Amino acid sequence: MKRFALLLTCTTLIAFNMLAQNNLTFNVSAAKTTISRQIYGHFAEHLGHCIYGGFYVGEGNTKIPNSNGVRTDIVDALKKLKIANLRWPGGCFADTYHWKDGIGPKDKRPSMVNTWWGGVTEDNSFGTHDFLNMCELIGTQPYLAGNVGSGTVQELIDWVQYVNFDGKSPMSDLRRQNGREKPWNVTYWGVGNEAWGCGGNMTPEYYADVYRKYATFMTGWSNETKIFRIASGANSKDYNWTEVLMKKIPHNMLGGLALHHYSVIEWNKKGPAVDFTEQQYFQTMKSALFMDSLVIKHSAIMDKYDPQKRVALVVDEWGGWYDVEAGTNPGFLYQQNTMRDAMIAGATLNIFHNHCDRVRMANLAQTVNVLQAVILTKEEKMILTPTYHVMEMYNVHQDAKLIPLKIKSNDYKLGNEKLPALSASASLDSNGAMHISLVNIDPKATQDLAINLEGGNYKTVSGRILTSAKLQDHNTFEEPAKIKPAAFQGATLKGKSLNVKMPPFSVVVLELK
Ligand code: AHR
């Protein structure tokens, strides 16, 4: 009897200890704020093989199925991913791009040198019509980044008129002459890019004035389209940039304020994309999780000037950045994509969801063949990366209501440093189903997580998992489906308590009904 009592106490203690280590509590009744689908945006720059040799293989291509030169397999994959918007043509390239060079007969288009990315000659064969028609094919909203650095106000407002004006005007007539009768009605417009750096090395005070001037002359040019202007925002933790812009730009001319942050170890010591050490993995994850602190601090500054949260925080460049793959052009930023990238994607999207009151748009850099790509191509072959799979698993959260949660996690420790092993976010969709997305970044330890579902009434749980044998694993053209989502069996629902066994470096999305 004594032994039984001792056993019972031990079991209770162990159970309590587990609970005390990893646990998650929700406030289902507080699910009010929408997770904007625009958080699921992507970025396509004229850089390396993102556009040329990526999205666009040319109209005359008979080897790779395409529609007006745009790869059909990429269009289909991005449709399935439900990408909400696509940012184009840069990046740094945007502030050197003159859109009028990319319209009209292709053989008459002038060329230019892509000074930022590899010094290659750009023949402008992929231009405004090609991009906007491609967005229609994918079923995504275009986000055009205007040239402020080396362009003019007139050039940018002409672009707005060209793509958005239905009536008769010099620019809409030119559009019709080039074969497009109806406007595309583009909502999202970036007013320059990285104005603090490649966009002109401006001070925030100077850029705020420049922004005000550009924004004054940009209008919707159509009754249907109210344009949403996005100011070039801070480089990572440059909080002063946000402070000055929020103070100096009237909020009625500011739809969103951007923020760029890459998960990078050190800019001059980025490390390999595949054969990284655990130390490098840890440092990458530390940089990725820093996004939480960035969002909190930039939002707090925005709250000071805009307590009603009218201006969105638009994280229009994020993702992992490593050394380029050996033998590739260093200016093309081509890198493989491993389970480490899946960890970055899952944890970052959880951060965006949990701050969706302010973060209402984001763009992963970049869609195809550049940085943390969701798609890699090699001639006629195409593969989906682990990042693609995470974004596909997570898209159930698009436009769902965020369920605020509290998570208590074990630490993932390396040397003297530690990070929370688990991250989570949850939402309620329009049919009443709850989705919980979980990430365990610990590369060695399984994490048992106890979830208290008090306040909800759920009878079934199902889920999908993304993991692999090694953290460095990745899909290749020879083995394209090495990493793909699988049915998850590690969740047990008993009444109001849900227990989840998260394997090392895994991403899980659960559905409760
Ligand atoms: O995404 C690559 C580059 O990173 C972009 O062109 C620029 O905006 C950023 O510095």
Side-chain angles (χ1 to χ4, degrees):
M1 189 61 194
K2 249 189 186 166
R3 274 175 64 193
F4 176 71
L6 188 66
L7 190 68
L8 196 68
T9 318
C10 286
T11 321
T12 318
L13 271 176
I14 289 168
F16 179 77
N17 203 23
M18 270 173 59
L19 262 178
Q21 284 174 339
N22 289 320
N23 62 68
L24 187 56
T25 49
F26 293 117
N27 189 354
V28 183
S29 59
K32 290 190 185 75
T33 315
T34 301
I35 297 174
S36 168
R37 64 171 53 233
Q38 299 306 334
I39 286 175
Y40 288 76
H42 290 257
F43 174 31
E45 182 164 13
H46 285 231
L47 194 178
H49 293 301
C50 183
I51 297 292
Y52 301 106
F55 275 105
Y56 182 70
V57 289
E59 282 85 347
N61 196 310
T62 49
K63 268 177 52 196
I64 304 172
N66 67 82
S67 164
N68 295 321
V70 173
R71 283 184 78 131
T72 313
D73 51 1
I74 292 187
V75 169
D76 291 344
L78 296 180
K79 262 189 191 162
K80 186 162 180 236
L81 197 54
K82 298 192 181 151
I83 71 165
N85 69 77
L86 189 57
R87 178 172 181 248
W88 177 85
C92 295
F93 179 78
D95 282 295
T96 63
Y97 182 65
H98 300 287
W99 70 270
K100 284 182 185 157
D101 293 347
I103 54 169
K106 296 204 171 181
D107 58 348
K108 302 253 164 23
R109 295 184 188 174
S111 54
M112 65 178 285
V113 177
N114 191 333
T115 42
W116 289 111
W117 307 117
V120 292
T121 303
E122 156 73 58
D123 67 2
N124 277 306
S125 55
F126 189 88
T128 299
H129 290 247
D130 307 271
F131 175 70
L132 295 176
N133 293 341
M134 179 175 93
C135 287
E136 285 184 342
L137 273 184
I138 298 170
T140 193
Q141 294 233 48
Y143 167 10
L144 294 176
N147 179 348
V148 168
S150 70
T152 61
V153 175
Q154 187 62 51
E155 186 180 1
L156 185 49
I157 61 179
D158 278 354
W159 205 13
V160 180
Q161 191 188 121
Y162 187 89
V163 304
N164 278 3
F165 190 49
D166 203 6
K168 189 170 167 45
S169 77
M171 288 302 115
S172 53
D173 283 351
L174 185 57
R175 182 191 70 231
R176 288 189 192 97
Q177 204 180 304
N178 288 327
R180 172 80 186 198
E181 177 58 37
K182 284 284 160 200
W184 288 276
N185 293 326
V186 175
T187 302
Y188 299 110
W189 290 86
V191 183
N193 167 72
E194 297 193 349
W196 42 264
C198 64
N201 278 305
M202 303 178 209
T203 63
E205 289 79 9
Y206 180 77
Y207 173 70
D209 282 343
V210 169
Y211 178 93
R212 291 167 65 123
K213 184 164 78 166
Y214 272 78
T216 303
F217 295 100
M218 293 164 77
T219 76
W221 283 103
S222 126
N223 292 334
E224 288 160 37
T225 319
K226 199 171 173 318
I227 68 170
F228 185 94
R229 289 159 295 197
I230 299 165
S232 163
N235 177 17
S236 205
K237 56 182 180 194
D238 181 355
Y239 301 113
N240 182 51
W241 187 274
T242 298
E243 182 91 41
V244 174
L245 263 52
M246 286 303 290
K247 197 187 325 180
K248 294 198 78 177
I249 300 175
H251 297 168
N252 63 355
M253 50 167 69
L254 185 61
L257 180 56
L259 167 67
H260 288 182
H261 174 68
Y262 285 95
S263 305
V264 68
I265 298 172
E266 273 179 57
W267 283 106
N268 56 357
K269 245 197 217 163
K270 296 195 273 300
V274 173
D275 295 318
F276 51 88
T277 60
E278 190 180 344
Q279 182 58 34
Q280 287 170 321
Y281 169 68
F282 186 95
Q283 294 308 325
T284 307
M285 292 317 299
K286 188 173 164 186
S287 176
L289 296 183
F290 185 58
M291 182 67 87
D292 194 46
S293 163
L294 285 174
V295 166
I296 290 171
K297 289 189 182 151
H298 284 289
S299 299
I301 296 165
M302 294 175 81
D303 286 350
K304 227 167 57 176
Y305 298 96
D306 172 32
Q308 274 146 350
K309 300 185 192 290
R310 290 205 179 102
V311 181
L313 183 59
V314 177
V315 189
D316 57 12
E317 287 187 32
W318 68 272
W321 192 323
Y322 320 113
D323 290 338
V324 297
E325 187 148 302
T328 64
N329 186 328
F332 283 11
L333 310 185
Y334 179 84
Q335 61 190 40
Q336 247 296 356
N337 196 290
T338 67
M339 281 304 298
R340 169 171 64 174
D341 297 277
M343 300 295 104
I344 298 175
T348 305
L349 290 170
N350 282 342
I351 294 168
F352 293 162
H353 294 166
N354 289 327
H355 297 290
C356 64
D357 56 340
R358 186 64 86 173
V359 181
R360 298 199 287 269
M361 192 164 170
N363 300 76
L364 174 66
Q366 297 194 5
T367 328
V368 182
N369 294 333
V370 171
L371 299 176
Q372 192 175 338
V374 288
I375 289 173
L376 299 175
T377 64
K378 189 180 183 189
E379 288 146 16
E380 68 281 9
K381 292 185 180 165
M382 180 198 88
I383 55 174
L384 306 176
T385 65
T387 303
Y388 176 98
H389 293 305
V390 172
M391 296 200 85
E392 186 274 320
M393 287 163 69
Y394 268 55
N395 69 23
V396 288
H397 292 291
Q398 290 187 5
D399 291 339
K401 299 274 185 242
L402 176 80
I403 304 176
L405 55 78
K406 280 205 182 99
I407 185 162
K408 188 167 180 299
S409 168
N410 283 336
D411 290 327
Y412 157 39
K413 293 188 188 135
L414 193 70
N416 298 326
E417 292 193 275
K418 57 183 186 187
L419 293 170
L422 294 176
S423 90
S425 66
S427 68
L428 214 49
D429 74 11
S430 51
N431 300 318
M434 183 203 273
H435 293 102
I436 310 173
S437 38
L438 300 163
V439 184
N440 175 15
I441 64 164
D442 192 319
K444 292 186 205 107
T446 295
Q447 300 292 339
D448 288 306
L449 173 66
I451 303 180
N452 183 344
L453 292 170
E454 217 56 62
N457 187 18
Y458 300 99
K459 299 204 164 42
T460 62
V461 62
S462 59
R464 290 199 295 161
I465 182 166
L466 193 80
T467 192
S468 195
K470 278 176 60 202
L471 193 52
Q472 289 79 2
D473 280 352
H474 53 281
N475 290 334
T476 61
F477 296 99
E478 293 68 42
E479 205 181 346
K482 184 182 178 87
I483 300 172
K484 60 175 191 225
F488 180 59
Q489 313 296 351
T492 326
L493 179 63
K494 274 195 201 127
K496 301 281 178 206
S497 102
L498 175 66
N499 287 292
V500 186
K501 214 173 236 324
M502 291 286 297
F505 60 93
S506 62
V507 177
V508 165
V509 176
L510 299 174
E511 179 171 81
L512 285 119
K513 285 185 174 164

